[in-house]
Amino acid sequence: MLIDSHAHLDSSRYDDDREQMLQRAAEAGVGAVLSIGIGENPSEMHQALEICREFNGKAGMPRLYASAGIYPHNAAEADDAALAKLDSLLAEPEVIACGEIGLDYYHEGAAHPVQREGLIAQLKIAAPRKRPILIHCRPKDGVTDAWDDLFEVLDEHWASTGLGGVMHCFGGGWEQARRSLDLGFLISLAGNLTYPKAQPLRDVAARVPIYGVLVETDAPWLAPAALRGKRNEPAFVTQTAQTLAELHHLTSEEISLATTKNFARLFNLTV
Ligand code: NI
């Protein structure tokens, strides 16, 4: 079985066919999906958990897990109430991760110091709840500014927890991959791994040891090359897994097994 380690199942783009979309994932061999709880803003942080509770236990569905977090663009909204909500969500057994959180210097949705403070505040909540973190990191084109700041924050505020996390939709170079692995993070590859121009990313992905990789869709965004521009969904994670398998000269069964094992190890799950 495959695990989609990152999908926004609460997106309104699934409102008309969420159940069928999840059935298609199960039919494609996707056994579990981590549903990302950021919503459009912190007031919607709980929606991923609600979706887990709605569908878990129904026949013919992947197992669903949830996360909760305040996205970098919404960092200015990380006030006491939002952080208290995050803390109570992380206490729920289905909510296995804090995220996606991080730094986005590409879109500049919030000032850099505000993003940094929002990130650190969430690390301080995730640590006592023992929840690994899901990192969104996007530098400006051609530089590593956000990565440099991110590693500075993680070295100071996260490394000592030993909890690790996931570099979601990884787009860094080998140096960033290596530093992530050293911090106990997994490198999660998304559909952009399959894009014709993504050779530099494929070169990095081929160097990441197999014990350090995950696959994800980031659905409804980032559909793999064959479906580019369409709405993405967890069933399509198979295409990214296939590309990753080829890069590592493995079968798709072997990559499924490895990524599932990695996910279970990080989140301490029996899957
Ligand atoms: Ni995402």
Side-chain angles (χ1 to χ4, degrees), residues 2 25 28-30 215 217 224 233-243 252:
L2 261 175
V30 177
V215 285
T217 55
E233 59 179 62
F236 304 157
V237 78
T238 52
Q239 300 188 26
T240 301
Q242 181 58 41
T243 299
S252 42

Side-chain angles (χ1 to χ4, degrees), residues 43-118:
S43 74
E44 298 180 355
M45 216 191 298
H46 59 284
Q47 290 179 164
L49 173 61
E50 283 183 349
I51 288 171
C52 280
R53 290 186 171 159
E54 182 180 352
F55 293 106
N56 273 341
K58 282 198 181 177
M61 292 278 166
R63 172 74 191 264
L64 302 183
Y65 300 97
S67 76
I70 301 165
Y71 195 57
H73 298 355
N74 302 119
E77 294 165 75
D79 56 15
D80 288 351
L83 293 169
K85 178 173 176 174
L86 173 63
D87 184 51
S88 67
L89 283 167
L90 293 183
E92 298 295 332
E94 297 96 330
V95 184
I96 61 172
C98 176
E100 56 184 284
I101 60 177
L103 301 173
D104 191 323
Y105 294 174
Y106 181 83
H107 293 103
E108 301 279 358
H112 298 185
V114 175
Q115 292 194 39
R116 226 179 129 106
E117 276 167 39

Side-chain angles (χ1 to χ4, degrees), residues 6-8 36 38 71 100 136 168-169 216 218-219 221:
H6 192 112
H8 297 264
I36 304 305
I38 54 170
Y71 195 57
E100 56 184 284
H136 168 108
H168 135 70
C169 191
E216 64 168 77
D218 204 15
W221 299 286

Side-chain angles (χ1 to χ4, degrees), residues 193-236:
L193 186 71
T194 67
Y195 293 174
K197 284 185 180 160
Q199 194 54 45
L201 180 59
R202 282 189 289 277
D203 292 343
V204 174
R207 281 181 77 180
V208 177
I210 208 65
Y211 64 78
V213 290
L214 292 176
V215 285
E216 64 168 77
T217 55
D218 204 15
W221 299 286
L222 275 182
L227 299 149
R228 197 164 179 183
K230 297 215 170 88
R231 185 188 74 168
N232 199 4
E233 59 179 62
F236 304 157

